[in-house]
Amino acid sequence: MYWHGDHMNGWGFAFMMIGNLVFWGVVIFAVVMLVRSTARSEQRGQAAPPREHRDPEAILAERFARGEMEAEEYRARLQVLRDHRPDA
C-alpha cells in the first residue's frame, strides 16, 4: 500500500512514526492514570484530619485585615459576636 518498489515512501514512514508516538502516548497516559487512581483510593481510606477550632473573633479580624470589610462593618459584626457569645 505505502511501498514504492522495495522501499517505503515518505508517507508510509510518517504514518509509522505518528502511529508509534500515539501508541506510546496512550501507554504512558494509561500508566499515569492507573497510578493516580491507586493513590486516590489509598487516600480515601484515611480519615480526614480534625479541623482545629478557630476563634470567630480571630476569623473576623483576619477578614478585616485582608480588606474584605470596612471598619464600621467590622465593629458591628464584632459587637454581634460578643453579644451572642455562649458564655456571656
Side-chain angles (χ1 to χ4, degrees):
M1 180 164 151
Y2 292 106
W3 296 91
H4 181 60
D6 60 347
H7 302 293
M8 187 185 317
N9 67 12
W11 287 110
F13 183 73
F15 287 136
M16 183 179 64
M17 290 296 293
I18 292 171
N20 194 15
L21 289 174
V22 169
F23 170 76
W24 285 110
V26 169
V27 168
I28 291 171
F29 178 77
V31 169
V32 168
M33 294 308 290
L34 180 66
V35 168
R36 288 180 69 185
S37 69
T38 304
R40 283 187 189 148
S41 65
E42 289 174 1
Q43 289 176 354
R44 285 186 201 135
Q46 299 173 354
R51 297 181 79 186
E52 62 182 58
H53 177 70
R54 295 182 58 200
D55 182 34
E57 290 183 16
I59 296 171
L60 189 62
E62 288 175 13
R63 290 186 59 201
F64 178 63
R66 285 194 300 261
E68 295 180 15
M69 61 182 69
E70 298 294 323
E72 297 82 27
E73 183 181 2
Y74 170 73
R75 285 189 209 105
R77 290 179 183 232
L78 185 61
Q79 188 61 42
V80 169
L81 284 175
R82 289 181 176 165
D83 289 345
H84 294 92
R85 190 178 290 165
D87 59 348

